Amino acid sequence: MAVLGLLFSWTDLLAQKTLKEAYKDYFPVGVAVAPRNLSGPEAELIKQQFISITPENAMKMGPIHPEENRYNWQDADAIVEFGQKNGILVRGHTLCWHSQVPNWFFTNSSGQQVTREELLGRLKQHITDVMTRYKGKIYAWDVVNEAVPDTGKSIYRQSKFYQIIGEEYIQKAFEYAHAIDPQAKLFYNDYNTESAAKREKIYQLVKKLKDKNVPIHGVGLQGHWSIYEPTQQELEKSIRQFADLGLAVQVTELDVSVYPKEHERRARKDTDQSIYTDEMMQKQSAHYKMLFDTFRKYKGTVTGVTFWNVSDRSSWLDNFPVSNRKDYPLLFDQHYQPKKAFEGVVNF
Ligand code: G3I
């Protein structure tokens, strides 16, 4: 009987639509990748299920541009080649972010902090070099990432880019990007976009850009959510509010943690157990179903959905917000098999 049960569950899985089949009339469904995902069973799963990939780290300023006159193209090239070879779209991530910036970026040759003009020059050079290399091969870019703080009154995060250049660094980044590849869709990308206060600040930021005719085409809702958030109303409010500005919306870094959401790293407590109960699994399935029902409802506005990592075997959430607490945030389990949540996403 057990063998029969197993046989039935395999037949069910084989009969299921893949993500890319189920969503072919809606939007590309993508996944964040590292070069290690591009061979073996993960590569097969990616080719079978996804129609878009995003480099998880390889195109960030630090990894790709570690020294002023040296680029490290290897990992990013491998990801773009994998996309080209397999007919998979590539999303670029990310041209300007306060995190993972190499130290040299803000310091000149005499060890002083760079001036506003020098920093704008470096930003322009960086964006120009990276986008020129992949011109025509990357259909959308996260141009500026996480420029808005979670708390406080200011719209702008007090990053070095902001402190040295002022809010204009955002506009400039979009202009530099558009000048290099006018076909690429350019996004502002952030997390915690369903918090009322942060949504409003992001709205103000992108509205200012639109009012000035800055070439911005969309907002990326990162989608680092959990089984407890967001509500459908909160999500719809974000989608509608950005769509009202004439912007596309992409969900750029989707995962649904089984733990309450925390946005700051912290020390591990004794109560932080790595658990995945049946109740969590059910709640996660219902949550994923609600999310994708909502994304489909906004077909035309939602122009892409990308998962942040391939399967529960390994995800950035295994080490965030606390080190070594395993999370189970994705649609594929630790053996690359579709989870219950997958069914609710592909069957509609
Ligand atoms: O590459 C080095 C390796 O040489 C070194 O030995 C190792 C030791 O710690 O670190 C490796 O770098 C790590 C890198 O991932 C590549 O694995 C960094 O420590 C680690 O901090 C980095 O984490 C990434 C994180 O961004 C950085 O803030 C995660 O993989 C990545 O998933 C995460 O992605 C971000 C998005 O870009 C923006 N939105 C939030 C999202 C989650 O934080």
Side-chain angles (χ1 to χ4, degrees):
M1 277 316 276
V3 174
L4 263 185
L6 199 64
L7 266 179
F8 278 128
S9 66
W10 269 103
T11 335
D12 286 351
L13 292 180
L14 289 173
Q16 304 234 43
K17 281 186 182 159
T18 61
L19 290 169
K20 66 180 178 193
E21 284 164 1
Y23 284 88
K24 68 179 186 331
D25 296 330
Y26 290 87
F27 40 73
V29 181
V31 63
V33 296
R36 66 170 185 282
N37 305 128
L38 306 180
S39 57
E42 291 181 344
E44 292 315 308
L45 185 64
I46 293 167
K47 287 188 270 181
Q48 180 193 59
Q49 297 286 339
F50 299 97
I51 195 76
S52 169
I53 49 176
T54 303
E56 182 182 6
N57 287 295
M59 286 184 188
K60 292 173 181 171
M61 287 176 143
I64 208 168
H65 198 171
E67 291 167 34
E68 184 166 11
N69 296 311
R70 181 168 72 86
Y71 283 91
N72 173 18
W73 300 115
Q74 201 184 328
D75 288 358
D77 280 0
I79 292 169
V80 172
E81 272 164 33
F82 180 87
Q84 296 253 292
K85 201 172 107 201
N86 295 294
I88 292 176
L89 297 166
V90 184
R91 276 195 101 256
H93 176 82
T94 169
L95 295 168
C96 180
W97 187 25
H98 66 277
S99 185
Q100 283 179 290
V101 193
N103 290 334
W104 68 265
F105 222 90
F106 301 115
T107 314
N108 66 21
S109 51
S110 37
Q112 309 289 315
Q113 179 167 288
V114 284
T115 64
R116 183 175 190 277
E117 292 317 309
E118 280 171 321
L119 188 54
L120 278 170
R122 287 180 178 193
L123 186 62
K124 182 175 188 182
Q125 192 66 53
H126 173 81
I127 291 176
T128 301
D129 292 345
V130 175
M131 285 192 70
T132 301
R133 187 169 182 94
Y134 301 118
K135 186 171 174 178
K137 298 179 177 171
I138 293 192
Y139 88 100
W141 269 101
D142 292 328
V143 178
V144 176
N145 196 41
E146 303 175 9
V148 172
D150 289 296
T151 54
K153 288 219 167 72
S154 171
I155 292 185
Y156 300 100
R157 187 187 287 275
Q158 297 296 310
S159 68
K160 283 233 161 109
F161 288 111
Y162 180 76
Q163 286 165 348
I164 299 172
I165 299 173
E167 66 181 73
E168 215 190 347
Y169 84 90
I170 299 171
Q171 168 176 349
K172 289 288 186 193
F174 279 92
E175 288 170 353
Y176 299 150
H178 188 63
I180 299 302
D181 189 350
Q183 303 302 318
K185 300 289 178 213
L186 305 182
F187 283 77
Y188 173 74
N189 191 47
D190 215 327
Y191 65 90
N192 203 12
T193 46
E194 288 59 56
S195 126
K198 193 162 174 191
R199 179 199 294 119
E200 186 54 32
K201 289 194 225 175
I202 296 170
Y203 178 80
Q204 295 302 334
L205 183 154
V206 291
K207 183 167 188 313
K208 269 196 193 185
L209 297 177
K210 283 295 284 181
D211 288 347
K212 288 194 212 166
N213 285 321
V214 173
I216 175 173
H217 308 113
V219 173
L221 314 180
Q222 290 187 3
H224 292 299
W225 292 317
S226 88
I227 56 177
Y228 306 104
E229 66 172 87
T231 64
Q232 182 162 17
Q233 289 88 325
E234 288 168 335
L235 174 58
E236 290 199 37
K237 190 155 196 288
S238 294
I239 296 172
R240 282 210 211 104
Q241 204 164 328
F242 297 123
D244 280 351
L245 290 173
L247 294 167
V249 171
Q250 294 202 345
V251 179
T252 51
E253 305 184 15
L254 179 59
D255 41 35
V256 175
S257 171
V258 300
Y259 308 112
K261 196 74 229 169
E262 294 175 83
H263 294 292
E264 299 294 333
R265 184 172 284 287
R266 64 164 172 82
R268 190 180 167 142
K269 301 179 210 148
D270 290 344
T271 46
D272 287 321
Q273 308 284 349
S274 297
I275 37 166
Y276 190 36
T277 62
D278 197 51
E279 196 189 336
M280 286 169 164
M281 198 258 285
Q282 300 292 350
K283 219 167 157 49
Q284 187 181 47
S285 304
H287 206 65
Y288 262 121
K289 179 172 169 20
M290 177 279 281
L291 293 173
F292 276 82
D293 286 350
T294 312
F295 303 156
R296 288 194 309 279
K297 179 172 169 186
Y298 290 93
K299 175 178 166 173
T301 293
V302 174
T303 61
V305 175
T306 294
F307 287 86
W308 209 243
N309 298 129
V310 181
S311 80
D312 287 353
R313 178 167 288 232
S314 151
S315 102
W316 74 285
L317 291 167
D318 293 337
N319 282 305
F320 189 91
V322 291
S323 302
N324 284 320
R325 178 185 64 175
K326 176 121 198 81
D327 207 334
Y328 305 87
L330 298 160
L331 291 187
F332 298 96
D333 69 15
Q334 294 182 72
H335 307 287
Y336 310 121
Q337 298 306 310
K339 292 160 57 176
K340 183 173 163 46
F342 181 89
E343 293 168 28
V345 168
V346 296
N347 296 320
F348 50 86

